[in-house]
Amino acid sequence: MRRTHPALTAWAWVVYAFLYLPILVLIVFSFNDSKFGATWAGFTTKWYGVLFAREDVREAVLNTLLVAVTSTAVSTVLGTLIGFGLWRYDFRWRTPLTALLVTPIVIPDVVMGVMLLMFYAIVRGLLERTGWTFENGFWTVMLAHVTFQISYVALTVRSRLAGYGRELQEAAADLGATPLQSFRQVILPLALPGVLGGALLAFTLSLDDFVVTYFTSGSGFKTLPVLIYTAVKKGVTPDINALSTLLVLFTVLAILLANFLMRPRREKQ
């Protein structure tokens, strides 16, 4: 077994410190007894109580969870079907469709946010000619999140099924199962770890998203990342540090759970 060069190891530690030390500082100062500044004034947990006493925080938490749960449910259903179709069938537009699925993952969030903002503006202009209109809010944010969540779910499900042969469905058909029965009783149980892992990944992406949400939400609709951004512009306070800490910890736990659910696939490979 080849040993890693000490210089590479030292550089890796520098990179990890650059990435994670700010998060550690944020978590530590969420327990700071001082309301302003970066001076340590003692340990306290009162800012977590102050945080949940704020009505705007409770409203942002509700908005965030509502968007995340709804968009995750929609993207999980659609992404699972798309992932199954890409695994099961050979068709002419399979490669272009796969490229379209990868596109929301690789393009910058700012570009996607601007594109969705322009799309909603065009749709609103067309609807106004017929007497209908809408304002940016829950539905625009939810649909915007679905556009990039589907890609993660579909690719995760297809990756999960990639190790199984397509003859599984043919064998089920030979035993008298209909296509729906073979999907529900054979394919879906095999793909379930990938479906759950993709759903958790989609949920965390929706929970943490700021850029796309910022462009597609209206002035009266705020999620936690947008609320944090708005509050930070006025100055960083310990209650905002506490809110960011809870958001980071929840995201880490969800990602660890998603990795745990997808572990059988990795062990098989």
Side-chain angles (χ1 to χ4, degrees), residues 57-123:
V57 172
R58 294 197 300 268
E59 182 180 355
V61 169
L62 180 61
N63 291 339
T64 303
L65 292 177
L66 191 60
V67 169
V69 171
T70 308
S71 61
T72 299
V74 174
S75 61
T76 299
V77 173
L78 297 178
T80 299
L81 295 177
I82 293 173
F84 168 74
L86 291 175
W87 167 77
R88 177 64 180 85
Y89 301 104
D90 289 319
F91 50 93
R92 182 177 180 182
W93 301 103
R94 182 179 178 183
T95 301
L97 179 58
T98 304
L100 286 176
L101 284 174
V102 176
T103 300
I105 299 176
V106 299
I107 64 174
D109 289 345
V110 173
V111 175
M112 191 165 185
V114 172
M115 285 172 22
L116 289 168
L117 178 63
M118 295 175 61
F119 172 75
Y120 288 144
I122 293 172
V123 173

Side-chain angles (χ1 to χ4, degrees), residues 12 21 30 79 92 94 113 123 175 178 182 204 211 224 244 247 251:
L21 275 180
S30 69
R92 182 177 180 182
R94 182 179 178 183
V123 173
L175 294 174
T178 64
S182 63
T204 57
V211 177
L224 283 177
S244 303
L247 191 60
T251 303

Side-chain angles (χ1 to χ4, degrees), residues 13 38 102 123 148 151 156 164 174 177 184 188 210 224 227 269:
W13 278 107
V102 176
V123 173
F148 61 80
S151 300
T156 302
Y164 300 100
D174 292 339
R184 184 168 54 88
L188 189 57
F210 165 73
L224 283 177
L227 177 67
Q269 288 182 338

